[in-house]
Amino acid sequence: MTDPIAGPILLPSNPGLQTDGVTMLDWGGPLSPVNGGAVQTLMRLGTRHALEFTIPTMPTEPLGRQWAALLRLAKLYGALLPFGQDGFKVGAPGAPVVAGAGQSGSLLAIRGFTTGYAAKIGQAFSIVHGGRRYLHFVATQGLSVDGTLTLAIFPMLRIIPADGDVCEFARPMIQGSLSGQPPKWSRQTAPWSDFGTITISEDE
């Protein structure tokens, strides 16, 4: 029997998040020799991000009911949430996509930008590959003079994107699993719902 639910579950944008905190999950790092010598930095594939966020207290009907259902579904099928960049003006990036197959490492060629679009250091974007989103950030500023850009990015690519894979600059997303405590919430007699703090961690 086919499962009627198609994951991941996009979490609501209403109400907006009260606070959020970003963590880089890094499995590399500096290696310090036990007998002295130079410290070596080990770069490993798989570095990715987690987003811990607090949802404000909300009226139980209808918002609390909707959040409660979607959080439980996200625990089962995976979660998807826009990655906020408060105060940053994304502008009009156009319709950027990966330019060319077989790319790897910390450089990514992209086409489809609006002519004259400037990608800024620290700007977030997500690559959509095989139905999954991978969150990345711009490492050095780049200016597109003809709709194309080769950007230095971090973390390094952990998949080999296909030519034409969408790069979400206008509305970057983080996709992954809900971690920590099982979804739970308090229902007050007002009635209000309080969901506390939740974490989404990228799976791959």
Side-chain angles (χ1 to χ4, degrees):
M1 184 176 180
T2 302
D3 192 332
I5 305 297
I9 303 300
L10 178 62
L11 297 179
S13 58
N14 183 31
L17 304 185
Q18 182 173 316
T19 60
D20 64 6
V22 185
T23 301
M24 188 172 76
L25 309 174
D26 181 19
W27 283 269
L31 298 178
S32 300
V34 294
N35 296 318
V39 173
Q40 297 181 349
T41 300
L42 180 64
M43 299 287 286
R44 284 180 173 162
L45 288 174
T47 297
R48 48 193 183 268
H49 288 82
L51 181 70
E52 181 183 83
F53 58 95
T54 302
I55 307 168
T57 300
M58 66 187 74
T60 297
E61 184 56 40
L63 296 178
R65 168 174 51 81
Q66 294 166 355
W67 269 95
L70 291 170
L71 283 171
R72 284 176 285 172
L73 286 168
K75 185 67 174 179
L76 298 173
Y77 295 96
L80 187 62
L81 185 72
F83 187 86
Q85 301 180 92
D86 289 349
F88 177 70
K89 298 185 184 300
V90 176
V97 298
V98 173
Q103 300 190 60
S104 61
S106 298
L107 286 175
L108 182 64
I110 304 173
R111 66 176 186 271
F113 281 111
T114 301
T115 299
Y117 185 76
K120 304 294 196 337
I121 183 170
Q123 181 175 355
F125 70 99
S126 42
I127 302 171
V128 185
H129 176 74
R132 175 174 288 276
R133 287 166 169 83
Y134 299 82
L135 184 65
H136 290 274
F137 297 85
V138 177
T140 58
Q141 181 163 318
L143 178 66
S144 172
V145 295
D146 60 357
T148 65
L149 266 177
T150 298
L151 287 175
I153 65 170
F154 69 96
M156 71 174 70
L157 292 167
R158 48 198 189 274
I159 44 92
I160 298 177
D163 179 55
D165 277 353
V166 171
C167 297
E168 296 174 320
F169 277 81
R171 193 184 186 215
M173 298 272 194
I174 184 168
Q175 177 178 344
S177 298
L178 295 187
S179 59
Q181 294 294 323
K184 61 180 181 180
W185 63 100
S186 299
R187 295 191 291 184
Q188 304 167 21
T189 57
W192 299 88
S193 292
D194 184 358
F195 293 90
T197 299
I198 298 163
T199 300
I200 295 178
S201 300
E202 290 189 279
D203 293 324
E204 57 181 87

